[in-house]
PDB file of all heavy atoms in Angstrom:
ATOM      1  N   LEU A 227       0.394   3.750   4.336  1.00  0.00           N
ATOM      2  CA  LEU A 227       1.779   3.805   4.744  1.00  0.00           C
ATOM      3  C   LEU A 227       1.942   3.179   6.165  1.00  0.00           C
ATOM      4  O   LEU A 227       2.910   2.437   6.384  1.00  0.00           O
ATOM      5  CB  LEU A 227       2.269   5.264   4.798  1.00  0.00           C
ATOM      6  CG  LEU A 227       2.343   5.932   3.436  1.00  0.00           C
ATOM      7  CD1 LEU A 227       2.675   7.433   3.612  1.00  0.00           C
ATOM      8  CD2 LEU A 227       3.380   5.306   2.581  1.00  0.00           C
ATOM      9  N   PHE A 228       1.038   3.436   7.045  1.00  0.00           N
ATOM     10  CA  PHE A 228       1.115   2.867   8.399  1.00  0.00           C
ATOM     11  C   PHE A 228       0.962   1.313   8.318  1.00  0.00           C
ATOM     12  O   PHE A 228       1.734   0.590   8.918  1.00  0.00           O
ATOM     13  CB  PHE A 228       0.012   3.472   9.317  1.00  0.00           C
ATOM     14  CG  PHE A 228       0.046   2.820  10.706  1.00  0.00           C
ATOM     15  CD1 PHE A 228       0.988   3.134  11.665  1.00  0.00           C
ATOM     16  CD2 PHE A 228      -0.923   1.841  11.007  1.00  0.00           C
ATOM     17  CE1 PHE A 228       1.005   2.557  12.866  1.00  0.00           C
ATOM     18  CE2 PHE A 228      -0.897   1.278  12.290  1.00  0.00           C
ATOM     19  CZ  PHE A 228       0.060   1.624  13.212  1.00  0.00           C
ATOM     20  N   PHE A 229      -0.043   0.819   7.567  1.00  0.00           N
ATOM     21  CA  PHE A 229      -0.256  -0.600   7.517  1.00  0.00           C
ATOM     22  C   PHE A 229       0.959  -1.285   6.855  1.00  0.00           C
ATOM     23  O   PHE A 229       1.394  -2.363   7.298  1.00  0.00           O
ATOM     24  CB  PHE A 229      -1.528  -0.879   6.684  1.00  0.00           C
ATOM     25  CG  PHE A 229      -2.799  -0.492   7.358  1.00  0.00           C
ATOM     26  CD1 PHE A 229      -3.980  -0.468   6.637  1.00  0.00           C
ATOM     27  CD2 PHE A 229      -2.834  -0.157   8.719  1.00  0.00           C
ATOM     28  CE1 PHE A 229      -5.188  -0.093   7.250  1.00  0.00           C
ATOM     29  CE2 PHE A 229      -3.993   0.211   9.312  1.00  0.00           C
ATOM     30  CZ  PHE A 229      -5.189   0.215   8.607  1.00  0.00           C
ATOM     31  N   HIS A 230       1.477  -0.670   5.780  1.00  0.00           N
ATOM     32  CA  HIS A 230       2.538  -1.332   5.036  1.00  0.00           C
ATOM     33  C   HIS A 230       3.864  -1.366   5.783  1.00  0.00           C
ATOM     34  O   HIS A 230       4.583  -2.352   5.855  1.00  0.00           O
ATOM     35  CB  HIS A 230       2.721  -0.715   3.637  1.00  0.00           C
ATOM     36  CG  HIS A 230       3.659  -1.474   2.811  1.00  0.00           C
ATOM     37  ND1 HIS A 230       3.371  -2.666   2.267  1.00  0.00           N
ATOM     38  CD2 HIS A 230       4.932  -1.183   2.415  1.00  0.00           C
ATOM     39  CE1 HIS A 230       4.451  -3.116   1.527  1.00  0.00           C
ATOM     40  NE2 HIS A 230       5.397  -2.222   1.629  1.00  0.00           N
ATOM     41  N   TYR A 231       4.255  -0.210   6.345  1.00  0.00           N
ATOM     42  CA  TYR A 231       5.555  -0.088   6.957  1.00  0.00           C
ATOM     43  C   TYR A 231       5.604  -0.319   8.428  1.00  0.00           C
ATOM     44  O   TYR A 231       6.682  -0.444   9.005  1.00  0.00           O
ATOM     45  CB  TYR A 231       6.124   1.333   6.648  1.00  0.00           C
ATOM     46  CG  TYR A 231       6.466   1.497   5.193  1.00  0.00           C
ATOM     47  CD1 TYR A 231       5.681   2.264   4.373  1.00  0.00           C
ATOM     48  CD2 TYR A 231       7.519   0.813   4.629  1.00  0.00           C
ATOM     49  CE1 TYR A 231       5.948   2.419   3.005  1.00  0.00           C
ATOM     50  CE2 TYR A 231       7.831   0.925   3.252  1.00  0.00           C
ATOM     51  CZ  TYR A 231       7.031   1.720   2.438  1.00  0.00           C
ATOM     52  OH  TYR A 231       7.326   1.855   1.104  1.00  0.00           O
ATOM     53  N   VAL A 232       4.431  -0.408   9.078  1.00  0.00           N
ATOM     54  CA  VAL A 232       4.450  -0.584  10.526  1.00  0.00           C
ATOM     55  C   VAL A 232       3.634  -1.851  10.933  1.00  0.00           C
ATOM     56  O   VAL A 232       4.123  -2.843  11.396  1.00  0.00           O
ATOM     57  CB  VAL A 232       3.892   0.640  11.287  1.00  0.00           C
ATOM     58  CG1 VAL A 232       3.904   0.380  12.814  1.00  0.00           C
ATOM     59  CG2 VAL A 232       4.722   1.879  10.977  1.00  0.00           C
ATOM     60  N   LEU A 233       2.297  -1.786  10.698  1.00  0.00           N
ATOM     61  CA  LEU A 233       1.396  -2.811  11.199  1.00  0.00           C
ATOM     62  C   LEU A 233       1.656  -4.173  10.596  1.00  0.00           C
ATOM     63  O   LEU A 233       1.750  -5.162  11.315  1.00  0.00           O
ATOM     64  CB  LEU A 233      -0.058  -2.395  10.979  1.00  0.00           C
ATOM     65  CG  LEU A 233      -1.106  -3.259  11.629  1.00  0.00           C
ATOM     66  CD1 LEU A 233      -0.936  -3.306  13.137  1.00  0.00           C
ATOM     67  CD2 LEU A 233      -2.502  -2.761  11.250  1.00  0.00           C
ATOM     68  N   PHE A 234       1.664  -4.252   9.277  1.00  0.00           N
ATOM     69  CA  PHE A 234       1.830  -5.542   8.566  1.00  0.00           C
ATOM     70  C   PHE A 234       3.237  -5.702   8.030  1.00  0.00           C
ATOM     71  O   PHE A 234       3.446  -6.538   7.115  1.00  0.00           O
ATOM     72  CB  PHE A 234       0.782  -5.675   7.435  1.00  0.00           C
ATOM     73  CG  PHE A 234      -0.630  -5.635   7.970  1.00  0.00           C
ATOM     74  CD1 PHE A 234      -1.533  -4.692   7.525  1.00  0.00           C
ATOM     75  CD2 PHE A 234      -1.109  -6.593   8.831  1.00  0.00           C
ATOM     76  CE1 PHE A 234      -2.854  -4.637   7.931  1.00  0.00           C
ATOM     77  CE2 PHE A 234      -2.424  -6.578   9.309  1.00  0.00           C
ATOM     78  CZ  PHE A 234      -3.285  -5.601   8.864  1.00  0.00           C
ATOM     79  N   ALA A 235       4.205  -4.995   8.493  1.00  0.00           N
ATOM     80  CA  ALA A 235       5.560  -5.046   7.962  1.00  0.00           C
ATOM     81  C   ALA A 235       6.143  -6.455   8.086  1.00  0.00           C
ATOM     82  O   ALA A 235       6.894  -6.841   7.182  1.00  0.00           O
ATOM     83  CB  ALA A 235       6.443  -4.014   8.689  1.00  0.00           C
ATOM     84  N   ALA A 236       5.792  -7.187   9.094  1.00  0.00           N
ATOM     85  CA  ALA A 236       6.319  -8.537   9.261  1.00  0.00           C
ATOM     86  C   ALA A 236       5.883  -9.514   8.205  1.00  0.00           C
ATOM     87  O   ALA A 236       6.562 -10.465   7.881  1.00  0.00           O
ATOM     88  CB  ALA A 236       5.936  -9.082  10.632  1.00  0.00           C
ATOM     89  N   SER A 237       4.740  -9.163   7.552  1.00  0.00           N
ATOM     90  CA  SER A 237       4.226 -10.087   6.495  1.00  0.00           C
ATOM     91  C   SER A 237       4.821  -9.812   5.160  1.00  0.00           C
ATOM     92  O   SER A 237       4.621 -10.534   4.210  1.00  0.00           O
ATOM     93  CB  SER A 237       2.708  -9.996   6.433  1.00  0.00           C
ATOM     94  OG  SER A 237       2.344  -8.743   5.941  1.00  0.00           O
ATOM     95  N   VAL A 238       5.603  -8.649   5.019  1.00  0.00           N
ATOM     96  CA  VAL A 238       6.259  -8.369   3.748  1.00  0.00           C
ATOM     97  C   VAL A 238       7.445  -9.324   3.653  1.00  0.00           C
ATOM     98  O   VAL A 238       8.375  -9.200   4.437  1.00  0.00           O
ATOM     99  CB  VAL A 238       6.714  -6.919   3.671  1.00  0.00           C
ATOM    100  CG1 VAL A 238       7.404  -6.648   2.382  1.00  0.00           C
ATOM    101  CG2 VAL A 238       5.482  -5.995   3.839  1.00  0.00           C
ATOM    102  N   VAL A 239       7.435 -10.223   2.708  1.00  0.00           N
ATOM    103  CA  VAL A 239       8.470 -11.265   2.545  1.00  0.00           C
ATOM    104  C   VAL A 239       9.747 -10.599   2.099  1.00  0.00           C
ATOM    105  O   VAL A 239       9.759  -9.912   1.056  1.00  0.00           O
ATOM    106  CB  VAL A 239       8.044 -12.392   1.618  1.00  0.00           C
ATOM    107  CG1 VAL A 239       9.115 -13.443   1.489  1.00  0.00           C
ATOM    108  CG2 VAL A 239       6.729 -12.988   2.070  1.00  0.00           C
ATOM    109  N   LYS A 240      10.833 -10.839   2.799  1.00  0.00           N
ATOM    110  CA  LYS A 240      12.140 -10.293   2.373  1.00  0.00           C
ATOM    111  C   LYS A 240      12.992 -11.478   1.981  1.00  0.00           C
ATOM    112  O   LYS A 240      12.873 -12.595   2.444  1.00  0.00           O
ATOM    113  CB  LYS A 240      12.802  -9.570   3.527  1.00  0.00           C
ATOM    114  CG  LYS A 240      11.982  -8.354   3.984  1.00  0.00           C
ATOM    115  CD  LYS A 240      12.637  -7.636   5.091  1.00  0.00           C
ATOM    116  CE  LYS A 240      11.813  -6.387   5.499  1.00  0.00           C
ATOM    117  NZ  LYS A 240      12.376  -5.691   6.597  1.00  0.00           N
ATOM    118  N   ASP A 241      13.923 -11.176   1.026  1.00  0.00           N
ATOM    119  CA  ASP A 241      14.899 -12.209   0.585  1.00  0.00           C
ATOM    120  C   ASP A 241      15.784 -12.581   1.773  1.00  0.00           C
ATOM    121  O   ASP A 241      16.214 -11.719   2.521  1.00  0.00           O
ATOM    122  CB  ASP A 241      15.741 -11.710  -0.564  1.00  0.00           C
ATOM    123  CG  ASP A 241      14.912 -11.456  -1.817  1.00  0.00           C
ATOM    124  OD1 ASP A 241      13.912 -12.231  -1.978  1.00  0.00           O
ATOM    125  OD2 ASP A 241      15.270 -10.575  -2.615  1.00  0.00           O
ATOM    126  N   PRO A 242      16.098 -13.872   1.925  1.00  0.00           N
ATOM    127  CA  PRO A 242      16.993 -14.273   3.012  1.00  0.00           C
ATOM    128  C   PRO A 242      18.379 -13.720   2.830  1.00  0.00           C
ATOM    129  O   PRO A 242      18.793 -13.372   1.704  1.00  0.00           O
ATOM    130  CB  PRO A 242      17.031 -15.798   2.908  1.00  0.00           C
ATOM    131  CG  PRO A 242      16.592 -16.114   1.520  1.00  0.00           C
ATOM    132  CD  PRO A 242      15.696 -14.987   1.067  1.00  0.00           C
TER     133      PRO A 242
END
Side-chain angles (χ1 to χ4, degrees):
L227 292 173
F228 177 77
F229 291 167
H230 187 72
Y231 292 107
V232 180
L233 187 61
F234 298 120
S237 68
V238 178
V239 180
K240 296 181 180 176
D241 293 330

